[in-house]
Amino acid sequence: MSDIWQELQREPPTSIVIQGVTVQRGTRVKLRPRPRGDVFDQILSGKTGVVEGLDESLDGVAQVAVTLEDDPGRDMGEGRYPGHRFFFNVDEVEPIPHEIGSKAVTRMPRVLVAGIGNIFLGDDGFGVAVSRRLAERELPAGVDVRDFGIRGMDLAYSLQNDYDAVVFIDATSRGEPAGTLYVIDAAVDADGPLAVDTHGMDPVKVLAMARALGKVPSRVIIVACETESVDSKSDWSEMEMALSEPVRSSLSTAVAQVESLMHELLHDLKSKEQ
């Protein structure tokens, strides 16, 4: 019984050395599972994984928990949902070729692009429309794009997954012509409020929830679009799902702006780590 309590209370290692490379959370590795008659061996062999955690048994046997770099549900693996998080022995993972020989592997910066809005409320669906277009494009490594709709708690929990920056895409009403785009760079105070006024699922409340849960990204940027009309009817049979023409016409420009922000954020974050 004492061994069980010792196992439960033991802190996992923060890094291990594999092929001369210090492997830690965020390290990218190639998966080389040994044949065990498991269908996952064939599916995962040769894929690129991102180390999510490390563990070591009482007898010193180390294991590596990974998520798949190209898994659109990778954040679920980081949330420890089954089917998106996999365990391998240290001899079943290889640091990616250009990292072999390094003394340490720098953690890959991570950016979450979050589409926000209610598609049943006219132009409030702007953020959802932009995130869906982005999800169809080739994304830089380290960037996750997700349509959160009106699921504020899901977004707050997703921000716990070690993201360095988040880009909210939302609709707003600030008195400018419909279709006007805004890029708001909001500095996050670890304790103080974040003063941003947008329409729909309030990013400020989401960040407050995320802070209460434990983590808020150091960079928060909001890409917002001025609405022509946001339907507030209580009768669902009369709700308007289509974007207005000015807002629909702004989608391509908004997608380009967010793509540019992705690259700028990754460049800035990598520069800070060097």
Side-chain angles (χ1 to χ4, degrees), residues 150-185:
I150 57 174
R151 304 187 313 278
M153 186 57 74
D154 285 353
L155 176 49
Y157 274 108
S158 291
L159 292 176
Q160 305 309 300
N161 293 325
D162 283 347
Y163 286 107
D164 303 282
V166 59
V167 179
F168 293 113
I169 312 173
D170 199 6
T172 189
S173 181
R174 302 173 64 150
E176 296 297 325
T180 301
L181 295 174
Y182 310 93
V183 178
I184 306 165
D185 193 339

Short mmCIF file of all heavy atoms in Angstrom, two decimals, residues 150-185:
data_model
loop_
_atom_site.label_atom_id
_atom_site.label_comp_id
_atom_site.label_asym_id
_atom_site.label_seq_id
_atom_site.Cartn_x
_atom_site.Cartn_y
_atom_site.Cartn_z
N ILE A 150 -20.74 29.63 -29.18
CA ILE A 150 -21.08 30.33 -27.94
C ILE A 150 -20.65 29.53 -26.71
O ILE A 150 -21.12 29.76 -25.60
CB ILE A 150 -22.59 30.62 -27.88
CG1 ILE A 150 -23.40 29.34 -28.01
CG2 ILE A 150 -22.99 31.62 -28.97
CD1 ILE A 150 -24.89 29.53 -27.80
N ARG A 151 -19.72 28.57 -26.90
CA ARG A 151 -19.30 27.70 -25.81
C ARG A 151 -18.14 28.33 -25.04
O ARG A 151 -16.97 27.98 -25.21
CB ARG A 151 -18.91 26.32 -26.36
CG ARG A 151 -20.02 25.65 -27.16
CD ARG A 151 -19.67 24.21 -27.56
NE ARG A 151 -18.35 24.09 -28.11
CZ ARG A 151 -18.03 24.34 -29.38
NH1 ARG A 151 -18.96 24.77 -30.21
NH2 ARG A 151 -16.80 24.17 -29.81
N GLY A 152 -18.48 29.30 -24.21
CA GLY A 152 -17.46 30.04 -23.47
C GLY A 152 -16.65 29.18 -22.52
O GLY A 152 -15.43 29.36 -22.41
N MET A 153 -17.29 28.25 -21.83
CA MET A 153 -16.55 27.42 -20.88
C MET A 153 -15.58 26.50 -21.61
O MET A 153 -14.45 26.27 -21.14
CB MET A 153 -17.52 26.59 -20.02
CG MET A 153 -16.83 25.81 -18.92
SD MET A 153 -15.86 26.86 -17.81
CE MET A 153 -17.17 27.65 -16.87
N ASP A 154 -15.98 25.96 -22.76
CA ASP A 154 -15.06 25.13 -23.55
C ASP A 154 -13.82 25.93 -23.94
O ASP A 154 -12.70 25.42 -23.90
CB ASP A 154 -15.76 24.62 -24.81
CG ASP A 154 -16.75 23.51 -24.53
OD1 ASP A 154 -16.80 23.05 -23.38
OD2 ASP A 154 -17.46 23.11 -25.46
N LEU A 155 -14.03 27.18 -24.32
CA LEU A 155 -12.90 28.02 -24.71
C LEU A 155 -12.00 28.30 -23.51
O LEU A 155 -10.77 28.25 -23.62
CB LEU A 155 -13.42 29.33 -25.32
CG LEU A 155 -12.39 30.39 -25.70
CD1 LEU A 155 -11.27 29.82 -26.54
CD2 LEU A 155 -13.09 31.53 -26.45
N ALA A 156 -12.59 28.58 -22.36
CA ALA A 156 -11.80 28.84 -21.15
C ALA A 156 -10.95 27.62 -20.79
O ALA A 156 -9.78 27.76 -20.42
CB ALA A 156 -12.71 29.22 -19.99
N TYR A 157 -11.53 26.43 -20.91
CA TYR A 157 -10.76 25.21 -20.63
C TYR A 157 -9.66 25.00 -21.66
O TYR A 157 -8.55 24.56 -21.34
CB TYR A 157 -11.68 23.99 -20.57
CG TYR A 157 -12.30 23.76 -19.22
CD1 TYR A 157 -13.64 24.00 -19.01
CD2 TYR A 157 -11.53 23.30 -18.15
CE1 TYR A 157 -14.22 23.80 -17.76
CE2 TYR A 157 -12.09 23.10 -16.90
CZ TYR A 157 -13.43 23.34 -16.70
OH TYR A 157 -13.99 23.15 -15.47
N SER A 158 -9.95 25.31 -22.93
CA SER A 158 -8.93 25.14 -23.97
C SER A 158 -7.73 26.05 -23.74
O SER A 158 -6.60 25.70 -24.09
CB SER A 158 -9.54 25.44 -25.35
OG SER A 158 -10.47 24.44 -25.72
N LEU A 159 -7.96 27.21 -23.13
CA LEU A 159 -6.85 28.13 -22.86
C LEU A 159 -5.91 27.61 -21.78
O LEU A 159 -4.84 28.19 -21.57
CB LEU A 159 -7.40 29.50 -22.45
CG LEU A 159 -8.14 30.27 -23.55
CD1 LEU A 159 -8.73 31.57 -23.00
CD2 LEU A 159 -7.21 30.57 -24.73
N GLN A 160 -6.28 26.51 -21.13
CA GLN A 160 -5.40 25.91 -20.12
C GLN A 160 -4.31 25.06 -20.76
O GLN A 160 -3.44 24.55 -20.06
CB GLN A 160 -6.22 25.05 -19.15
CG GLN A 160 -7.38 25.78 -18.48
CD GLN A 160 -6.95 27.08 -17.84
OE1 GLN A 160 -6.10 27.09 -16.95
NE2 GLN A 160 -7.52 28.18 -18.31
N ASN A 161 -4.36 24.88 -22.09
CA ASN A 161 -3.46 23.94 -22.77
C ASN A 161 -2.17 24.59 -23.25
O ASN A 161 -1.72 24.37 -24.36
CB ASN A 161 -4.19 23.28 -23.94
CG ASN A 161 -5.31 22.37 -23.49
OD1 ASN A 161 -5.20 21.72 -22.46
ND2 ASN A 161 -6.39 22.33 -24.25
N ASP A 162 -1.59 25.43 -22.40
CA ASP A 162 -0.26 26.01 -22.66
C ASP A 162 -0.18 26.80 -23.96
O ASP A 162 0.82 26.74 -24.68
CB ASP A 162 0.82 24.92 -22.66
CG ASP A 162 1.18 24.48 -21.24
OD1 ASP A 162 0.79 25.19 -20.30
OD2 ASP A 162 1.84 23.45 -21.07
N TYR A 163 -1.21 27.55 -24.29
CA TYR A 163 -1.13 28.46 -25.43
C TYR A 163 -0.40 29.73 -25.00
O TYR A 163 -0.64 30.27 -23.92
CB TYR A 163 -2.52 28.81 -25.94
CG TYR A 163 -3.19 27.68 -26.70
CD1 TYR A 163 -4.24 26.97 -26.14
CD2 TYR A 163 -2.75 27.32 -27.97
CE1 TYR A 163 -4.84 25.92 -26.83
CE2 TYR A 163 -3.34 26.27 -28.66
CZ TYR A 163 -4.39 25.58 -28.08
OH TYR A 163 -4.97 24.55 -28.76
N ASP A 164 0.49 30.20 -25.88
CA ASP A 164 1.22 31.43 -25.60
C ASP A 164 0.43 32.66 -26.04
O ASP A 164 0.68 33.77 -25.55
CB ASP A 164 2.57 31.41 -26.34
CG ASP A 164 3.40 30.20 -25.94
OD1 ASP A 164 3.99 30.24 -24.84
OD2 ASP A 164 3.45 29.23 -26.70
N ALA A 165 -0.48 32.47 -26.97
CA ALA A 165 -1.28 33.59 -27.48
C ALA A 165 -2.62 33.07 -27.96
O ALA A 165 -2.75 31.90 -28.33
CB ALA A 165 -0.55 34.30 -28.63
N VAL A 166 -3.62 33.95 -27.94
CA VAL A 166 -4.93 33.60 -28.46
C VAL A 166 -5.42 34.75 -29.33
O VAL A 166 -5.22 35.92 -29.02
CB VAL A 166 -5.95 33.31 -27.33
CG1 VAL A 166 -6.11 34.51 -26.40
CG2 VAL A 166 -7.31 32.90 -27.91
N VAL A 167 -6.03 34.40 -30.45
CA VAL A 167 -6.67 35.37 -31.34
C VAL A 167 -8.16 35.08 -31.33
O VAL A 167 -8.60 34.03 -31.80
CB VAL A 167 -6.12 35.28 -32.78
CG1 VAL A 167 -6.85 36.29 -33.68
CG2 VAL A 167 -4.62 35.52 -32.80
N PHE A 168 -8.94 35.99 -30.75
CA PHE A 168 -10.39 35.87 -30.78
C PHE A 168 -10.89 36.50 -32.07
O PHE A 168 -10.45 37.59 -32.45
CB PHE A 168 -11.02 36.62 -29.60
CG PHE A 168 -10.73 36.04 -28.25
CD1 PHE A 168 -9.96 36.73 -27.33
CD2 PHE A 168 -11.24 34.80 -27.88
CE1 PHE A 168 -9.69 36.21 -26.08
CE2 PHE A 168 -10.98 34.27 -26.62
CZ PHE A 168 -10.20 34.98 -25.72
N ILE A 169 -11.84 35.84 -32.73
CA ILE A 169 -12.48 36.41 -33.92
C ILE A 169 -13.96 36.58 -33.58
O ILE A 169 -14.65 35.61 -33.30
CB ILE A 169 -12.32 35.50 -35.16
CG1 ILE A 169 -10.87 35.04 -35.32
CG2 ILE A 169 -12.78 36.23 -36.40
CD1 ILE A 169 -10.68 34.01 -36.41
N ASP A 170 -14.42 37.82 -33.62
CA ASP A 170 -15.74 38.10 -33.10
C ASP A 170 -16.39 39.24 -33.86
O ASP A 170 -15.73 39.95 -34.64
CB ASP A 170 -15.62 38.47 -31.61
CG ASP A 170 -16.93 38.33 -30.85
OD1 ASP A 170 -17.92 37.85 -31.43
OD2 ASP A 170 -16.95 38.72 -29.67
N ALA A 171 -17.68 39.43 -33.65
CA ALA A 171 -18.42 40.57 -34.20
C ALA A 171 -18.48 41.67 -33.14
O ALA A 171 -18.37 41.40 -31.94
CB ALA A 171 -19.84 40.14 -34.58
N THR A 172 -18.64 42.90 -33.59
CA THR A 172 -18.69 44.01 -32.65
C THR A 172 -19.59 45.11 -33.20
O THR A 172 -19.93 45.12 -34.39
CB THR A 172 -17.28 44.58 -32.38
OG1 THR A 172 -17.33 45.53 -31.32
CG2 THR A 172 -16.71 45.25 -33.62
N SER A 173 -19.95 46.03 -32.35
CA SER A 173 -20.74 47.19 -32.76
C SER A 173 -20.14 48.43 -32.11
O SER A 173 -20.32 48.67 -30.92
CB SER A 173 -22.19 47.02 -32.32
OG SER A 173 -22.98 48.11 -32.73
N ARG A 174 -19.38 49.20 -32.92
CA ARG A 174 -18.66 50.36 -32.38
C ARG A 174 -18.98 51.64 -33.14
O ARG A 174 -18.30 52.64 -33.01
CB ARG A 174 -17.15 50.08 -32.42
CG ARG A 174 -16.79 48.83 -31.64
CD ARG A 174 -15.33 48.45 -31.80
NE ARG A 174 -14.44 49.46 -31.26
CZ ARG A 174 -13.25 49.18 -30.74
NH1 ARG A 174 -12.85 47.93 -30.70
NH2 ARG A 174 -12.49 50.13 -30.28
N GLY A 175 -20.02 51.58 -33.98
CA GLY A 175 -20.48 52.79 -34.63
C GLY A 175 -19.86 53.09 -35.98
O GLY A 175 -20.18 54.12 -36.59
N GLU A 176 -19.00 52.22 -36.50
CA GLU A 176 -18.39 52.43 -37.80
C GLU A 176 -19.24 51.72 -38.87
O GLU A 176 -20.15 50.95 -38.55
CB GLU A 176 -16.96 51.88 -37.81
CG GLU A 176 -16.03 52.59 -36.85
CD GLU A 176 -15.85 54.06 -37.21
OE1 GLU A 176 -15.84 54.38 -38.42
OE2 GLU A 176 -15.73 54.88 -36.28
N PRO A 177 -18.96 51.96 -40.17
CA PRO A 177 -19.72 51.29 -41.22
C PRO A 177 -19.62 49.77 -41.11
O PRO A 177 -18.58 49.22 -40.72
CB PRO A 177 -19.07 51.79 -42.52
CG PRO A 177 -18.48 53.11 -42.14
CD PRO A 177 -18.01 52.95 -40.72
N ALA A 178 -20.70 49.08 -41.43
CA ALA A 178 -20.71 47.62 -41.37
C ALA A 178 -19.62 47.05 -42.26
O ALA A 178 -19.38 47.53 -43.37
CB ALA A 178 -22.07 47.09 -41.81
N GLY A 179 -18.94 46.02 -41.77
CA GLY A 179 -17.85 45.40 -42.51
C GLY A 179 -16.48 45.93 -42.12
O GLY A 179 -15.46 45.37 -42.52
N THR A 180 -16.43 47.01 -41.33
CA THR A 180 -15.15 47.54 -40.86
C THR A 180 -14.47 46.53 -39.95
O THR A 180 -15.10 45.96 -39.05
CB THR A 180 -15.36 48.86 -40.08
OG1 THR A 180 -15.99 49.82 -40.92
CG2 THR A 180 -14.03 49.41 -39.58
N LEU A 181 -13.20 46.29 -40.19
CA LEU A 181 -12.45 45.33 -39.39
C LEU A 181 -11.55 46.04 -38.39
O LEU A 181 -10.97 47.09 -38.68
CB LEU A 181 -11.60 44.43 -40.29
CG LEU A 181 -12.36 43.51 -41.24
CD1 LEU A 181 -11.41 42.80 -42.19
CD2 LEU A 181 -13.19 42.48 -40.47
N TYR A 182 -11.43 45.47 -37.22
CA TYR A 182 -10.57 46.00 -36.16
C TYR A 182 -9.60 44.92 -35.71
O TYR A 182 -9.97 43.74 -35.62
CB TYR A 182 -11.38 46.43 -34.94
CG TYR A 182 -12.57 47.32 -35.21
CD1 TYR A 182 -13.84 46.77 -35.41
CD2 TYR A 182 -12.44 48.70 -35.26
CE1 TYR A 182 -14.94 47.58 -35.65
CE2 TYR A 182 -13.54 49.52 -35.50
CZ TYR A 182 -14.78 48.95 -35.69
OH TYR A 182 -15.87 49.75 -35.93
N VAL A 183 -8.38 45.31 -35.41
CA VAL A 183 -7.40 44.42 -34.79
C VAL A 183 -7.00 45.06 -33.47
O VAL A 183 -6.40 46.13 -33.45
CB VAL A 183 -6.17 44.19 -35.68
CG1 VAL A 183 -5.16 43.29 -34.95
CG2 VAL A 183 -6.56 43.55 -37.00
N ILE A 184 -7.38 44.41 -32.37
CA ILE A 184 -7.17 44.97 -31.04
C ILE A 184 -6.15 44.11 -30.32
O ILE A 184 -6.37 42.91 -30.10
CB ILE A 184 -8.49 44.99 -30.25
CG1 ILE A 184 -9.57 45.72 -31.04
CG2 ILE A 184 -8.30 45.62 -28.88
CD1 ILE A 184 -10.97 45.49 -30.52
N ASP A 185 -5.02 44.71 -29.97
CA ASP A 185 -3.98 44.00 -29.23
C ASP A 185 -4.14 44.36 -27.76
O ASP A 185 -3.90 45.49 -27.35
CB ASP A 185 -2.60 44.41 -29.74
CG ASP A 185 -1.50 43.49 -29.24
OD1 ASP A 185 -1.73 42.80 -28.23
OD2 ASP A 185 -0.42 43.45 -29.85
#
